Amino acid sequence: MTATQGIGSPATDKGPAIEIEIRNLSKVFGDGPRAFKALDDIQLDIRQGEFFTLLGPSGCGKTTLLRLIAGFEQPSSGLLQINGKAVAGLGPNRRPVNTVFQNYALFPHMTLAENIGFGLKMLGKSRSEVASTTQEMLKLVKMDAMADRKPAQISGGQQQRIALARALAPRPRVLLLDEPLSALDLKLRKEMQVELKRLQLETGITFVFVTHDQEEALTMSDRIAVISGGQVLQMGTPHEIYNFPAERFVADFIGDTNFIDAEIVQYEGDFAQVRLPGGVVREASLPEGFNARVGETVTVVIRPEHASLTERGDLQATVENAVFFGTDTHIHLRLEDQTPFILRRQNTGVSVAPPEAGQHACIAVAEGGIQVLRS
């Protein structure tokens, strides 16, 4: 097995194998009237060798789910299997997983190399294997020139790399990451997003990443599970989650979104003709299994980047203000029915003055840019 393949590489003959299987998993804290259900009937399959993200707001249950996988908590009910083996009742040291925490938890009195090798020593590895694996991990995270430094002598981003190297050194089947980028500044966080994805691709290990940051999830993930109120609301690729949200919470949580009331004029299959505010009729995609009715008022979503200002458009609006973001300008408008609307216009290098507050504007929506929401 090569380093590129890794121990978590996907199968090639029948598609990716399942690394983590979760069925009807629930977790309740407390008893009686004070009992709190943190997770409610979770169903998930996480594939071998993928970067899988648990995404949701604070308190949604994503960290609880990670702790159940790690073995720091035990489920109240349901099935949890890793590599085809049930792990209920097993502690963290008896599971083929390792965890990277928010605070990195490096030993301050040890060198970086000693931090990486500590877990290998506890596993009873030989001195030569500890040394060779430690050097391999230092090179993997591009920190081999700093092996003899202490954690206090390096930056936060470098500490995170060492924490990753220490967790990867025993070559676990699964690496669990509990919001490891949250303490970093914006620029360093973006750099580490690229580094994390590189490490996952080079090792082939299954990464399960917890975050409340939508950009992190969209940037790094092969697939995302959006969690709210202890339930998985939608699971799919970043493209699917962003462009085809299953319901209003997902659409609202992932990026900026415009919500507009529209009337269904006619429908066939996966598409409907809808009448937008102002009377213009446009085609909109329907979510799977949606039972549309002619004359029904539904909510449609339009992403800010799928709209533009034109001389003649689908929607009429009044400009409220324009906010410059460097790469693009966000134009805040108010439709004729008083619905707020945000439009994102890219700044292409040619100086284009933003529209002035109070100015009338026509909004054109791109083909395929309108979707009916389930709820």
Side-chain angles (χ1 to χ4, degrees), residues 184-259:
L184 305 179
D185 62 54
L186 178 61
K187 185 176 181 180
L188 186 55
R189 196 159 65 240
K190 289 180 178 293
E191 292 175 359
M192 288 308 302
Q193 289 171 14
V194 176
E195 283 297 299
L196 273 178
K197 187 60 179 177
R198 176 185 68 82
L199 288 171
Q200 191 270 325
L201 289 172
E202 287 191 18
T203 61
I205 291 173
T206 304
F207 277 30
V208 182
F209 185 86
V210 162
T211 184
H212 63 274
D213 189 302
Q214 303 95 324
E215 182 180 297
E216 285 182 1
L218 294 172
T219 300
M220 296 185 289
S221 309
D222 295 314
R223 289 190 303 149
I224 300 168
V226 181
I227 300 177
S228 179
Q231 296 181 320
V232 176
L233 300 185
Q234 186 172 356
M235 183 168 59
T237 66
H239 177 270
E240 291 166 345
I241 295 290
Y242 184 84
N243 289 303
F244 305 102
E247 54 183 85
R248 188 179 183 113
F249 177 88
V250 178
D252 196 26
F253 189 72
I254 308 293
D256 295 326
T257 311
N258 295 300
F259 298 97

Side-chain angles (χ1 to χ4, degrees), residues 37-50:
K37 181 172 281 190
L39 293 173
D40 185 10
D41 199 33
I42 299 293
Q43 317 281 344
L44 278 181
D45 283 333
I46 300 176
R47 302 165 185 159
Q48 285 185 3
E50 77 171 335

